[in-house]
Amino acid sequence: MLSSIKRKEKEFYDNGITPVVVVCGGGLSGIELAFALKQRWSEYFNIEISVSLVDSHDKILPFEERELRESITS
């Protein structure tokens, strides 16, 4: 999977494309993926990358404690 990501990164970079990321799922895995891609691609493309989370609930981590949600969204 990492080789696929690296190929796509190079394709974007070579063509002057700055990716915009949309991650489906506001659970722990979706949030981890969003943070990881934002960190990696912001450094790779040397620009702040936009990352959005899409979820069917009105807030992320709906089944987790409020403190955890607030620590991630602040």
Side-chain angles (χ1 to χ4, degrees), residues 12-28:
F12 286 159
Y13 188 85
D14 290 348
N15 290 298
I17 298 169
T18 301
V20 175
V21 181
V22 177
V23 176
C24 296
L28 292 172

Side-chain angles (χ1 to χ4, degrees), residues 7-66:
R7 270 195 309 279
K8 191 51 100 173
E9 287 171 342
K10 183 174 180 343
E11 179 184 328
F12 286 159
Y13 188 85
D14 290 348
N15 290 298
I17 298 169
T18 301
V20 175
V21 181
V22 177
V23 176
C24 296
L28 292 172
S29 297
I31 292 168
E32 182 177 5
L33 179 61
F35 278 136
L37 285 173
K38 182 169 183 65
Q39 172 79 26
R40 179 182 178 93
W41 283 359
S42 290
E43 290 177 7
Y44 185 87
F45 293 97
N46 199 31
I47 189 170
E48 191 70 21
I49 298 296
S50 172
V51 177
S52 299
L53 280 170
V54 178
D55 193 80
S56 61
H57 294 93
D58 62 345
K59 58 186 168 202
I60 63 169
L61 302 172
F63 306 109
E64 300 295 334
E65 294 187 18
R66 180 180 50 83

